[in-house]
Amino acid sequence: MRRPVAIVTALVLFGEAVGIVLINAVLATVAENQNMSLAGMDPDAMSAGTWVMGGVSGLLLVLCGLIALIAGIRDRAPGRAGRIVLIGCAVVHGVLGAVTVGLVGWGAFAFMMVVLALLVLTLVSYGPEPRADDKAGGETAPAAA
């Protein structure tokens, strides 16, 4: 079951990456067209910052998706760095889920929790492999009396 979960997680993260880039593109365009600023900040800086944020967020989600996809294709746990990236992605989804329930609504919260559940399920299903010395030790017979 862990292979399909990792592949579905990767596909969801790829879709989320596209969505984040599109949302930030719309926000950047609106900020630029309306000549909006926040506390006197240059509107061009706000638009550029929104574009950069969308691009960086999209790239990070694609990276997380690639790690999950490679784990699913190889049917092996991601390495230490890959696990750290997926854990960071899960933490971010948890925090953003808590924020979105108040700002966006329950639908966005539910989506964030589904992605969080997929990430956690991928991480747990590809848990740490038993070490060689643990396998070799095995159970010993009780001592003769």
Side-chain angles (χ1 to χ4, degrees):
M1 181 174 111
R2 64 186 189 175
R3 189 175 239 179
V5 168
I7 292 172
V8 167
T9 302
L11 294 175
V12 169
L13 288 172
F14 292 148
E16 188 179 2
V18 171
I20 289 293
V21 170
L22 289 176
I23 287 171
N24 279 287
V26 168
L27 289 174
T29 304
V30 167
E32 186 175 342
N33 289 342
Q34 296 296 321
N35 205 15
M36 296 175 155
S37 68
L38 182 65
M41 187 184 293
D42 183 27
D44 292 331
M46 290 192 59
S47 176
T50 306
W51 278 109
V52 170
M53 181 66 179
V56 169
S57 298
L59 285 176
L60 289 174
L61 286 168
V62 166
L63 172 68
C64 294
L66 283 175
I67 291 170
L69 183 64
I70 290 170
I73 290 173
R74 291 183 180 171
D75 200 23
R76 285 190 313 184
R80 178 174 284 158
R83 289 184 69 79
I84 291 170
V85 169
L86 289 178
I87 290 169
C89 187
V91 169
V92 167
H93 276 84
V95 171
L96 287 179
V99 171
T100 57
V101 73
L103 295 176
V104 182
W106 288 103
F109 172 77
F111 175 76
M112 296 300 279
M113 293 303 107
V114 166
V115 177
L116 174 64
L118 285 170
L119 284 165
V120 169
L121 189 57
T122 300
L123 286 164
V124 170
S125 65
Y126 286 106
E129 309 255 340
R131 295 181 296 184
D133 58 344
D134 290 343
K135 289 180 187 175
E139 255 186 69
T140 58

